[in-house]
Amino acid sequence: MSNIEKENPSQNDPFYYNEQRGIIRGSEFPFLNDNHPSTMYNNQPKLMQTLQRSGPSYMSFTECLSMDYNTLSTAFDMPCSSSEVISSPIQHCSGAPSGKSSAPTNNENPSTPDSSISSSSNDTATQQGSAKTKEKQQQQHHHHHHHQKESQDGKQKSNNKVSKTKKKEKREREPRFSFLTKSEIDHLEDGYRWRKYGQKAVKNSPYPRSYYRCTSQKCTVKKRVERSFEDPSIVITTYEGKHNHQCPATLRANTAAGILSPNSLLPSTSSMMAHRPTFPQDIFARLLPPYNNHHQGDPTAMFYPHLYAPQQQLPDYGLLQDLVPSSFLPKQHP
DNA sequence: CGAGTTTGACCGGCGC
DNA sequence: GCGCCGGTCAAACTCG
């Protein structure tokens, strides 16, 4: 039994509760086409249709967009105890200094309301031992760099952090934001540049979790990417923090197109999105289908149209109006 | 050579 | 205190 199913305000609502759709904390991203489990590349129109719905007791996509970041963070980071939401696999009670939430951030099946989930079927057996060895495979990992360990002599790794006299303040965790994407690609292109800084085996899952940091200087945004083992076609991406800079891809595109001048009266939707805090608006922007046909087979173009179409073809605002608050849209002159 | 990845070690919180 | 666990560090490595 899933909460989602139970509390679902409208079962027959196509937006709500459908397997293989993305879910944001109980709200769903209908950008995934349920009919094509193996591919996501040909469902543009459906996106627009399903996006339009909105409802009272959960966050619709539109509402999502209309909120500013903080509001949204608050909404999404409400304590997991809140009844209605949160049977989704994205359950980090962020803000909590200890990133440890009682519920696993993964591996709960978002879609199957059955009992088969056993939310946290506690391991015991599948301890890291097996998982660890499984994760590494036939790389030429036979470089024992034991010298490294010797040099640091046990636990002292670097002199930098030896100074323990300093009282360590728990660094606050930034709000997190997760979403599910059906994709064969693990690390989805999102216009920003990331450097991978870690990879860990995920408990009870054959798929590892990767940790990325934004490469832009001073930008503290992080990102985790892992694949759902319940449905390996689904990628769980979790962002943490806000970019303190513009999306490089958009910047590049817009600069090249010369539309970034401060006086620009008609910014493209994409650049408009890009100027807002990183996400979820950005994410939303990237979910919009492309408006040109040049890259139709290209998944990148499919999800990140602004990378390809920085300006010229303004989107069909008739459709977009249903998604984006009018304040976001350029003024239409008669 | 610089930027990005890989990967084992380390860290700190938490439960027992 | 010990071990688990999620997250991070950083040396070694790879790639363009």
Side-chain angles (χ1 to χ4, degrees), chain A residues 258-270:
Chain A
I259 64 167
L260 256 190
S261 75
N263 302 328
S264 177
L265 294 176
L266 270 182
S268 73
T269 304
S270 54

PDB file of all heavy atoms in Angstrom, chain A residues 258-270:
ATOM      1  N   GLY A 258      23.910  36.712 -29.132  1.00  0.00           N
ATOM      2  CA  GLY A 258      23.846  38.137 -28.867  1.00  0.00           C
ATOM      3  C   GLY A 258      22.544  38.607 -28.271  1.00  0.00           C
ATOM      4  O   GLY A 258      22.093  39.710 -28.527  1.00  0.00           O
ATOM      5  N   ILE A 259      21.956  37.779 -27.473  1.00  0.00           N
ATOM      6  CA  ILE A 259      20.678  38.193 -26.903  1.00  0.00           C
ATOM      7  C   ILE A 259      20.786  38.437 -25.416  1.00  0.00           C
ATOM      8  O   ILE A 259      19.808  38.606 -24.735  1.00  0.00           O
ATOM      9  CB  ILE A 259      19.602  37.144 -27.129  1.00  0.00           C
ATOM     10  CG1 ILE A 259      19.975  35.875 -26.384  1.00  0.00           C
ATOM     11  CG2 ILE A 259      19.416  36.895 -28.593  1.00  0.00           C
ATOM     12  CD1 ILE A 259      18.836  34.923 -26.296  1.00  0.00           C
ATOM     13  N   LEU A 260      21.972  38.487 -24.960  1.00  0.00           N
ATOM     14  CA  LEU A 260      22.102  38.643 -23.522  1.00  0.00           C
ATOM     15  C   LEU A 260      22.290  40.082 -23.095  1.00  0.00           C
ATOM     16  O   LEU A 260      22.570  40.365 -21.952  1.00  0.00           O
ATOM     17  CB  LEU A 260      23.274  37.815 -23.013  1.00  0.00           C
ATOM     18  CG  LEU A 260      22.869  36.543 -22.310  1.00  0.00           C
ATOM     19  CD1 LEU A 260      24.070  35.921 -21.644  1.00  0.00           C
ATOM     20  CD2 LEU A 260      21.757  36.779 -21.320  1.00  0.00           C
ATOM     21  N   SER A 261      22.142  40.940 -24.033  1.00  0.00           N
ATOM     22  CA  SER A 261      22.337  42.326 -23.668  1.00  0.00           C
ATOM     23  C   SER A 261      21.333  42.724 -22.614  1.00  0.00           C
ATOM     24  O   SER A 261      20.202  42.274 -22.618  1.00  0.00           O
ATOM     25  CB  SER A 261      22.148  43.206 -24.897  1.00  0.00           C
ATOM     26  OG  SER A 261      20.780  43.301 -25.192  1.00  0.00           O
ATOM     27  N   PRO A 262      21.760  43.560 -21.716  1.00  0.00           N
ATOM     28  CA  PRO A 262      20.910  43.904 -20.584  1.00  0.00           C
ATOM     29  C   PRO A 262      19.589  44.496 -21.020  1.00  0.00           C
ATOM     30  O   PRO A 262      18.620  44.454 -20.291  1.00  0.00           O
ATOM     31  CB  PRO A 262      21.736  44.944 -19.821  1.00  0.00           C
ATOM     32  CG  PRO A 262      23.067  45.006 -20.463  1.00  0.00           C
ATOM     33  CD  PRO A 262      23.052  44.233 -21.704  1.00  0.00           C
ATOM     34  N   ASN A 263      19.578  45.064 -22.187  1.00  0.00           N
ATOM     35  CA  ASN A 263      18.361  45.732 -22.609  1.00  0.00           C
ATOM     36  C   ASN A 263      17.421  44.819 -23.362  1.00  0.00           C
ATOM     37  O   ASN A 263      16.393  45.256 -23.838  1.00  0.00           O
ATOM     38  CB  ASN A 263      18.712  46.920 -23.504  1.00  0.00           C
ATOM     39  CG  ASN A 263      19.605  47.883 -22.770  1.00  0.00           C
ATOM     40  OD1 ASN A 263      19.496  48.021 -21.555  1.00  0.00           O
ATOM     41  ND2 ASN A 263      20.510  48.529 -23.482  1.00  0.00           N
ATOM     42  N   SER A 264      17.856  43.628 -23.465  1.00  0.00           N
ATOM     43  CA  SER A 264      17.022  42.707 -24.219  1.00  0.00           C
ATOM     44  C   SER A 264      15.617  42.664 -23.653  1.00  0.00           C
ATOM     45  O   SER A 264      15.403  42.359 -22.499  1.00  0.00           O
ATOM     46  CB  SER A 264      17.641  41.315 -24.165  1.00  0.00           C
ATOM     47  OG  SER A 264      16.827  40.412 -24.827  1.00  0.00           O
ATOM     48  N   LEU A 265      14.682  43.015 -24.488  1.00  0.00           N
ATOM     49  CA  LEU A 265      13.310  43.074 -24.013  1.00  0.00           C
ATOM     50  C   LEU A 265      12.601  41.752 -24.172  1.00  0.00           C
ATOM     51  O   LEU A 265      11.603  41.489 -23.516  1.00  0.00           O
ATOM     52  CB  LEU A 265      12.543  44.142 -24.798  1.00  0.00           C
ATOM     53  CG  LEU A 265      13.046  45.556 -24.548  1.00  0.00           C
ATOM     54  CD1 LEU A 265      12.293  46.548 -25.435  1.00  0.00           C
ATOM     55  CD2 LEU A 265      12.894  45.927 -23.085  1.00  0.00           C
ATOM     56  N   LEU A 266      13.102  40.982 -25.017  1.00  0.00           N
ATOM     57  CA  LEU A 266      12.425  39.719 -25.271  1.00  0.00           C
ATOM     58  C   LEU A 266      13.362  38.548 -25.049  1.00  0.00           C
ATOM     59  O   LEU A 266      13.818  37.928 -25.992  1.00  0.00           O
ATOM     60  CB  LEU A 266      11.917  39.668 -26.710  1.00  0.00           C
ATOM     61  CG  LEU A 266      10.527  40.204 -26.946  1.00  0.00           C
ATOM     62  CD1 LEU A 266      10.156  40.025 -28.411  1.00  0.00           C
ATOM     63  CD2 LEU A 266       9.525  39.508 -26.057  1.00  0.00           C
ATOM     64  N   PRO A 267      13.632  38.308 -23.868  1.00  0.00           N
ATOM     65  CA  PRO A 267      14.519  37.174 -23.616  1.00  0.00           C
ATOM     66  C   PRO A 267      13.831  35.888 -24.026  1.00  0.00           C
ATOM     67  O   PRO A 267      12.615  35.790 -23.949  1.00  0.00           O
ATOM     68  CB  PRO A 267      14.720  37.221 -22.103  1.00  0.00           C
ATOM     69  CG  PRO A 267      13.512  37.917 -21.584  1.00  0.00           C
ATOM     70  CD  PRO A 267      13.086  38.874 -22.645  1.00  0.00           C
ATOM     71  N   SER A 268      14.612  34.969 -24.414  1.00  0.00           N
ATOM     72  CA  SER A 268      14.012  33.683 -24.739  1.00  0.00           C
ATOM     73  C   SER A 268      13.561  33.013 -23.473  1.00  0.00           C
ATOM     74  O   SER A 268      14.025  33.316 -22.380  1.00  0.00           O
ATOM     75  CB  SER A 268      15.033  32.807 -25.439  1.00  0.00           C
ATOM     76  OG  SER A 268      15.980  32.383 -24.494  1.00  0.00           O
ATOM     77  N   THR A 269      12.664  32.145 -23.641  1.00  0.00           N
ATOM     78  CA  THR A 269      12.209  31.409 -22.477  1.00  0.00           C
ATOM     79  C   THR A 269      13.359  30.680 -21.825  1.00  0.00           C
ATOM     80  O   THR A 269      13.483  30.631 -20.615  1.00  0.00           O
ATOM     81  CB  THR A 269      11.160  30.381 -22.910  1.00  0.00           C
ATOM     82  OG1 THR A 269      10.134  31.067 -23.587  1.00  0.00           O
ATOM     83  CG2 THR A 269      10.589  29.675 -21.702  1.00  0.00           C
ATOM     84  N   SER A 270      14.206  30.181 -22.654  1.00  0.00           N
ATOM     85  CA  SER A 270      15.292  29.383 -22.080  1.00  0.00           C
ATOM     86  C   SER A 270      16.229  30.243 -21.270  1.00  0.00           C
ATOM     87  O   SER A 270      16.616  29.886 -20.162  1.00  0.00           O
ATOM     88  CB  SER A 270      16.052  28.674 -23.187  1.00  0.00           C
ATOM     89  OG  SER A 270      16.472  29.604 -24.143  1.00  0.00           O
TER      90      SER A 270
END
